[in-house]
Amino acid sequence: ETGVTQTPRHLVMGMTNKKSLKCEQHLGHNAMYWYKQSAKKPLELMFVYNFKEQTENNSVPSRFSPECPNSSHLFLHLHTLQPEDSALYLCASSKDRANTGELFFGEGSRLTVL
Amino acid sequence: KQEVTQIPAALSVPEGENLVLNCSFTDSAIYNLQWFRQDPGKGLTSLLLIQSSQREQTSGRLNASLDKSSGRSTLYIAASQPGDSATYLCAVLPSGGSYIPTFGRGTSLIVHP
């Protein structure tokens, strides 16, 4: 148990569906991240939020829409995805630099787009 | 731009061996370096965190060292067990205020009985 919880753990959706992934942490962290991990590929940073403000968008297609309503919650809204978007989506959070900057990951949401 | 390389990419060893996994980085201006373990289809589990001012950290059979001047970190696994089979990743967080770590591609380890 890392303190970062992702739901759902598994999601199957069609290309015309709208769904959302949720990430929650109660570790008092201020930075939250979305990563994509496709089969046989390295981790790919998607978005970074710091104190609810988006600080990084790594050229992610607009069919992925992040939302960070507060420092404890992060969402990834999915709309009209493509089969190549099937991957493991990982959420992470970290402490600020007044602490160690240690990164904690959730268990991931396995997404399959049909 | 920071680049992180992990060698070897894959490793298969018999149970009981002592192992060394390598992580090298190109920019020595780092805030910390973190080692993770990832089991198939799961998230990343933090193993060890080394701050830039530290030289090593230990947890059980794991020991991680950091040499900033040469841009290297090693993860030493003593008396390997089949349960150690996983992918091991290192990540470097830069100094200077960025919150974005750079990850290596990982070392895939299989320890067979």
Side-chain angles (χ1 to χ4, degrees):
Chain A
E1 180 59 52
T2 65
V4 180
T5 303
Q6 289 188 242
T7 54
R9 293 292 310 279
H10 300 274
L11 179 63
V12 179
M13 59 187 290
M15 290 192 285
T16 58
N17 293 157
K18 287 185 181 180
K19 297 285 185 183
S20 296
L21 306 180
K22 179 182 176 182
C23 177
E24 186 173 356
Q25 58 89 9
H26 295 288
L27 301 169
H29 293 174
N30 53 280
M32 296 188 77
Y33 311 72
W34 279 117
Y35 284 88
K36 176 183 178 182
Q37 190 175 42
S38 303
K40 308 293 185 185
K41 291 187 178 180
L43 272 176
E44 185 181 334
L45 180 68
M46 300 176 73
F47 302 103
V48 182
Y49 280 80
N50 188 29
F51 289 109
K52 304 188 301 177
E53 299 298 319
Q54 187 181 115
T55 59
E56 184 79 10
N57 178 336
N58 198 22
S59 302
V60 180
S62 59
R63 58 185 184 269
F64 295 93
S65 175
E67 178 189 2
C68 189
N70 54 61
S71 293
S72 299
H73 294 85
L74 183 65
F75 296 88
L76 188 63
H77 303 300
L78 314 170
H79 178 51
T80 59
L81 296 191
Q82 305 297 312
E84 60 264 28
D85 297 321
S86 298
L88 182 67
Y89 288 85
L90 292 164
C91 174
S93 68
S94 69
K95 299 177 181 181
D96 60 33
R97 287 171 183 269
N99 294 283
T100 63
E102 188 171 4
L103 198 61
F104 292 81
F105 279 83
E107 285 289 342
S109 294
R110 169 69 62 185
L111 173 67
T112 302
V113 182
L114 301 177
Chain B
K1 179 187 172 186
Q2 178 75 272
E3 292 183 6
V4 178
T5 304
Q6 290 189 245
I7 294 173
L11 189 59
S12 179
V13 299
E15 182 176 7
E17 281 203 6
N18 299 323
L19 307 173
V20 175
L21 307 183
N22 297 292
C23 173
S24 62
F25 47 94
T26 55
D27 187 346
S28 62
I30 69 170
Y31 185 76
N32 66 31
L33 186 145
Q34 196 169 352
W35 282 94
F36 295 90
R37 167 191 173 132
Q38 185 177 28
D39 294 292
K42 300 289 185 69
L44 279 67
T45 300
S46 180
L47 297 174
L48 290 165
L49 175 78
I50 311 178
Q51 295 292 96
S52 63
S53 59
Q54 297 173 326
R55 297 298 298 265
E56 66 177 336
Q57 286 287 341
T58 298
S59 176
R61 293 183 294 109
L62 304 179
N63 175 276
S65 66
L66 175 64
D67 183 344
K68 278 201 317 178
S69 61
S70 65
R72 290 185 181 179
S73 176
T74 59
L75 178 66
Y76 178 81
I77 303 176
S80 58
Q81 303 170 357
D84 295 329
S85 299
T87 297
Y88 291 81
L89 297 103
C90 68
V92 172
L93 188 66
S95 56
S98 171
Y99 282 87
I100 302 172
T102 301
F103 279 83
R105 297 177 72 103
T107 293
S108 177
L109 172 65
I110 297 175
V111 181
H112 47 87

